[in-house]
Amino acid sequence: MKRIITFILSVLMIIGFILPTGAVSVTDQTEEKTDGVELDFFPGYVHKVINNGYVSYERNAAAARDVLRFSAKLEDLEDYQKKNADVNFDGKITAADARILLRYCAKLGGFPVTLRVGQELKFGPFNTLWKLVCLTESSDELKIEREIIPHKKPSNPGDSDRHILHVTPAQPGTYTFEVEQIGYTDEVERYALFEITCIE
């Protein structure tokens, strides 16, 4: 098994030198979608783990392997996994996504997003049963605003407000945006680092 994982990781590294990073660009999207990028998930949590009947998803080298195998039509993924596998947010799952995810897991880079001045990365909505914490401070260059959507009344058990983070670069440059989700045990359950490139 170790040999297979080593081989797959070697292939990913070779692909990494051949393929470009594949950041989503607003110019790559359709004419209709000009508002930037919308994400309502923490990317990369693809590798499925079942422990005592409890299903969870991990973001690690095994997740990058799963994405590569899917892109090569060697493995199938559930809808949740497919959504999380598209880590360059271009609507496709390719070897470029596997490369980005492997680099991310090795702490060699964040998830790439390209925006034009004034366009936004809309991150959410997320249920406030989990605490959405923005680790990046808002600034004149990178404006970050929180939107709270109150739950409708009458409410059902488990209903809560939903939070959205609107991240908008005001001038060309490169920015980082970090966010985490904290569970009811006060532990970080999800985390994401985005590398935002803002163009004219």
Side-chain angles (χ1 to χ4, degrees), residues 72-140:
K73 300 186 182 344
L74 298 174
E75 184 174 324
D76 198 15
L77 297 176
E78 300 168 359
D79 289 342
Y80 177 84
Q81 292 172 296
K82 289 176 188 175
K83 184 177 184 178
N84 279 266
D86 180 16
V87 295
N88 64 0
F89 322 116
D90 65 355
K92 300 175 281 189
I93 301 171
T94 66
D97 292 296
R99 174 184 178 255
I100 292 167
L101 186 50
L102 183 64
R103 286 178 53 82
Y104 186 95
C105 293
K107 300 186 184 336
L108 297 175
F111 296 117
V113 177
T114 302
L115 299 171
R116 293 194 181 279
V117 172
Q119 290 184 317
E120 72 172 20
L121 166 61
K122 179 181 174 185
F123 193 66
F126 292 97
N127 191 308
T128 51
L129 291 175
W130 291 266
K131 189 175 176 184
L132 185 63
V133 178
C134 181
L135 302 175
T136 304
E137 290 187 22
S138 184
S139 66
D140 292 339

Side-chain angles (χ1 to χ4, degrees), residues 56-75:
S56 62
Y57 297 89
E58 297 177 347
R59 182 172 62 200
N60 50 26
R65 178 202 63 204
D66 295 344
V67 173
L68 183 64
R69 287 180 55 82
F70 178 81
S71 71
K73 300 186 182 344
L74 298 174
E75 184 174 324

